[in-house]
Amino acid sequence: MIPLRQENLSTVWKYLMESVGVYNDLMLKFCLKCPLLKKVSAEDTKILIQHSYLPLWLIWNSPLFKNGQTYLPFCNEYVYTREWMEKILPPDFVTYLYEYTRRQNAARFSINETAVLCGVALTVDNVPGLKDPAAISHIHQQFKVALAHEISSTRLNSKEMLSEVPQLLTHLETAVAKQNIILSFNDQNPPDISFD
């Protein structure tokens, strides 16, 4: 763990930006390999990926938020701790991240369910600028049906779980509104932070 001190800020920021690059590459590869997206124009695919950046990040990284702490790895032996997150991000945003991840972790999604949930989050059809929202809506519905099928076929408590999914999706839509906080960061310089 890197101690929470002013002299460590530039190091933590450098590690954080390197990690963002790795996550971006992984996310892009996942999205471009999504079979149903191959039916969508390149322009709409780009819009969808940009729109769902934080929701996808949350879905994938939710298991790394545990017991009030984060275990998000940098590209080395260090992790992005809650203490650093609370220093760099606005407090209400950090609270939001923890609330969402607590709910998703309680659902205990399988790997397959998580992958399909990513498809649902990726293909939201009310995104401004889409050329073919009807096609996206159709794909979105296919992912929702696939998620319901996956949950129903593997869980005894599927009705309870299926009732939780719309609430998670609502939380993910909130993430879209909040993602500009992250997207506005300059990868060269950390934000001006007080360590008083």
Side-chain angles (χ1 to χ4, degrees):
M1 185 166 112
I2 302 171
L4 188 65
R5 293 195 297 259
Q6 179 73 48
E7 61 268 20
N8 294 331
L9 176 59
S10 60
T11 300
V12 167
W13 190 254
K14 177 180 168 244
Y15 292 164
L16 184 59
M17 291 301 108
E18 288 170 357
S19 298
V20 166
V22 171
Y23 283 120
N24 288 350
D25 289 347
L26 291 172
M27 206 176 320
L28 190 58
K29 285 177 186 171
F30 172 84
C31 292
L32 294 176
K33 290 194 183 264
C34 184
L36 291 175
L37 273 189
K38 293 184 192 270
K39 300 176 181 180
V40 175
S41 72
E43 296 85 13
D44 279 355
T45 299
K46 180 180 177 182
I47 291 168
L48 290 171
I49 291 170
Q50 289 172 338
H51 177 81
S52 62
Y53 179 85
L54 185 57
L56 291 175
W57 184 90
L58 276 169
I59 293 168
W60 286 338
N61 290 298
S62 186
L64 300 174
F65 287 72
K66 296 179 185 176
N67 303 319
Q69 187 52 267
T70 60
Y71 300 92
L72 295 162
F74 289 133
C75 298
N76 53 36
E77 70 273 15
Y78 297 109
V79 296
Y80 184 37
T81 62
R82 182 175 188 151
E83 292 76 21
W84 276 106
M85 187 180 283
E86 288 175 338
K87 226 16 155 168
I88 292 172
L89 298 171
D92 64 325
F93 186 65
V94 175
T95 300
Y96 165 78
L97 295 176
Y98 276 88
E99 175 57 23
Y100 175 80
T101 57
R102 183 193 61 74
R103 291 183 80 137
Q104 182 178 317
N105 290 342
R108 304 181 80 134
F109 286 116
S110 69
I111 292 171
N112 289 345
E113 291 165 345
T114 300
V116 179
L117 181 61
C118 284
V120 173
L122 178 62
T123 57
V124 175
D125 59 349
N126 62 351
V127 180
L130 289 174
K131 304 282 186 251
D132 193 355
I136 305 302
S137 180
H138 180 70
I139 294 168
H140 182 72
Q141 291 307 316
Q142 287 180 297
F143 274 120
K144 286 174 84 173
V145 167
L147 182 59
H149 175 74
E150 187 66 32
I151 290 170
S152 297
S153 66
T154 60
R155 294 179 179 256
L156 296 175
N157 66 342
S158 61
K159 286 185 181 179
E160 180 183 321
M161 176 62 71
L162 289 171
S163 69
E164 178 67 16
V165 170
Q167 294 171 9
L168 286 174
L169 294 176
T170 299
H171 273 275
L172 289 172
E173 275 302 301
T174 303
V176 171
K178 294 179 176 284
Q179 72 184 358
N180 285 335
I181 293 167
I182 294 172
L183 298 176
S184 67
F185 283 142
N186 176 336
D187 64 344
Q188 301 301 313
N189 300 306
D192 189 24
I193 297 172
S194 171
F195 282 82
D196 299 338

